Amino acid sequence: MLEQRRSDGSLRHLITLADLSRAEIQSLLDHSARYVSDAGARPPSNRSLNGITIANMFTEPSTRTRVSFELAGRRLGADVLNIEVQLSSRAKGESMLDTIRTLEAMHIDVLVIRDSEPGVIEEVARDVAPHVSVLSGGEAHVSHPTQGLLDALTITQRKGADFSRLTVALVGDIRHSRVARSAYEVLTALGVGQLRLIGPAEMMPPPEEFPGCRRFHAPEDGLAQADVVMMLRIQKERMLEASIPDGAEYFARFGLTAPRLKLAKADAIVMHPGPMNRGIEISSEVADGPQSVIRAQVRNGVAVRMAVLETVARPRRLGV
Ligand code: NCD
C-alpha cells in the first residue's frame, strides 16, 4: 500500500481512508466542521492556500465532487484548474507520465483525480515529485475518501459523535460502489455499532469484503430500527448490459419509499451521494422529505474538501 504520509507524519496524499487512524479521521472531521455554513449564509473563506495551484483531472463524469473541490480550493485562495486528460489504460504509458511531468513543470501542487480504473490514482501518486499531493476524487469501485468523510460529518451533525450507538444500513448496489467501501472504512474506524448491507444478491459484495456487516436481501428485514439509511446509485457503468436491473422492478423491491422508511427509527436520516435515480432507488417524497439530509451532504462536501486541501497543501505553502 502507498504511504500517504510524509516522514513527519503529516498527510500528503488522500487516496484511501483504510490506513487512517480514528484520531486522524476525527481531526479531519473537526477541521471540516469549521468550514460548514448554513444554507444561504456567506460561505467561510480565507487565503490559507494563496499561491497553491490545484488541478482537477476527472476522467469519469462528476458534478458534486469536481465542483466542490473547485469551490473548496477557491475559497482558500488557491488557483484551481480543470484539465481534460486521459490517464488510464485508454492512454497509458508515456502519455500518463508525460501529463504528470507537464503539470509539475507548471508548478501544480495538488492533483485531484477521478478515474474508472483501479490503481491509476496510486500510480500517479507514486510517480509525482515530492512536493505534489494527490487526492482521490473517486477510484473505480474501490474508494471515494472525501465522500466517506462528508458522510461521517453529516451523520455526526444529526446523530452526535458516538457512533457506537448507531445502526447504519447501506442499501442497493454495494458491490460496485466506492461510496459504500469508503463509508465502511470511515464508519468502522469511528466504531459504528452495527453496519447492515441490503441489496439483491447480484449487488452484494464478495463475502470477504465488508467483514462484520450483516447482510439482508430485503429492506423489510434490514431497515428495522436503523438510525441511518444510506441509499446507493445503481452503477450501470460498472455492470454488464445484461445484468442491469429493470428500474420499475428494482424500485418495487428495494426503492426507498415512505412506507419502507417507516420501518427504520422514526428519527432516521436518509442519505444518498447523488446523482439520484428518482423512482428507481428512492422516491421523490423521501428524497425531498424531512428525514433527507441529501442537501446537507452536498454542503458538507465543500467543507470536507477545504479541510483536506488545507491539510495536504498547507505545509507546501509554508515551505516545509
Ligand atoms: C458518487 C460517485 O461518483 O462515486 N457520486 C459522488 O461522488 N457524489 C456516487 C455515484 O456516482 O453513484
Side-chain angles (χ1 to χ4, degrees):
M1 198 193 246
L2 175 84
E3 176 52 67
Q4 302 194 100
R5 294 171 196 80
R6 300 182 182 88
S7 52
D8 66 358
S10 65
L11 199 64
R12 175 183 168 200
H13 305 299
L14 187 62
I15 296 170
T16 176
L17 298 174
D19 64 348
L20 264 59
S21 69
R22 185 177 188 153
E24 284 173 306
I25 288 172
Q26 200 56 61
S27 138
L28 283 168
L29 295 180
D30 293 345
H31 191 160
S32 306
R34 300 207 294 272
Y35 286 125
V36 174
S37 57
D38 293 335
R42 191 190 166 97
S45 65
N46 62 46
R47 308 285 297 159
S48 71
L49 296 189
N50 187 22
I52 293 289
T53 305
I54 300 164
N56 276 330
M57 302 193 287
F58 282 54
T59 64
E60 273 194 329
S62 172
T63 309
R64 274 151 288 265
T65 306
R66 193 188 57 70
V67 170
S68 61
F69 264 114
E70 184 170 350
L71 284 176
R74 289 186 194 282
R75 287 180 186 164
L76 296 171
D79 295 315
V80 186
L81 311 170
N82 292 305
I83 300 177
E84 298 289 325
V85 276
Q86 291 277 294
L87 290 170
S88 310
S89 55
R90 300 183 288 281
K92 223 172 177 130
E94 274 314 293
S95 67
M96 176 175 103
L97 301 184
D98 276 349
T99 305
I100 303 306
R101 296 283 93 83
T102 304
L103 293 172
E104 281 170 1
M106 292 192 233
H107 294 284
I108 300 277
D109 303 283
V110 182
L111 302 175
V112 184
I113 304 175
R114 167 171 288 193
D115 196 73
S116 61
E117 192 183 324
V120 168
I121 303 175
E122 184 172 328
E123 213 177 306
V124 173
R126 284 186 195 285
D127 195 67
V128 286
H131 69 272
V132 178
S133 291
V134 175
L135 303 179
S136 169
E139 174 186 358
H141 64 284
V142 177
S143 144
H144 195 347
T146 54
Q147 180 76 39
L149 292 171
L150 77 86
D151 287 338
L153 179 63
T154 309
I155 296 173
T156 308
Q157 287 166 343
R158 305 299 167 122
K159 298 287 164 200
D162 181 5
F163 280 60
S164 69
R165 295 180 302 111
L166 299 180
T167 295
V168 179
L170 307 182
V171 187
D173 185 7
I174 299 155
R175 178 190 285 264
H176 304 102
S177 174
R178 55 188 171 216
V179 175
R181 287 180 177 77
S182 285
Y184 174 80
E185 288 164 0
V186 76
L187 294 173
T188 308
L190 293 171
V192 71
Q194 234 193 76
L195 200 48
R196 302 180 185 163
L197 312 181
I198 308 173
E202 63 278 15
M203 292 185 186
M204 278 291 171
E208 68 278 8
E209 284 196 77
F210 295 83
C213 294
R214 296 176 62 192
R215 297 177 180 227
F216 300 87
H217 292 301
E220 284 66 24
D221 302 326
L223 286 180
Q225 294 302 308
D227 299 280
V228 176
V229 184
M230 189 184 290
M231 304 306 295
L232 300 166
R233 184 176 66 85
I234 301 174
Q235 305 282 302
K236 289 187 183 158
E237 67 275 33
R238 299 185 219 290
M239 292 177 187
L240 297 171
E241 195 71 36
S243 53
I244 296 175
D246 174 75
E249 195 186 314
Y250 183 86
F251 186 66
R253 284 181 61 206
F254 291 95
L256 190 63
T257 56
R260 271 200 183 121
L261 180 56
K262 286 213 165 66
L263 300 167
K265 283 195 184 150
D267 63 350
I269 56 169
V270 175
M271 307 176 74
H272 193 302
M276 283 184 275
N277 292 307
R278 291 169 184 261
I280 298 179
E281 295 125 19
I282 189 165
S283 72
S284 279
E285 188 188 1
V286 172
D288 304 325
Q291 289 169 263
S292 169
V293 295
I294 296 170
R295 295 236 184 102
Q297 287 176 274
V298 176
R299 214 163 36 240
N300 288 334
V302 181
V304 159
R305 287 161 185 134
M306 287 172 84
V308 169
L309 283 170
E310 209 165 40
T311 300
V312 300
R314 207 174 203 167
R316 165 85 175 134
R317 166 105 203 283
L318 300 175
V320 178

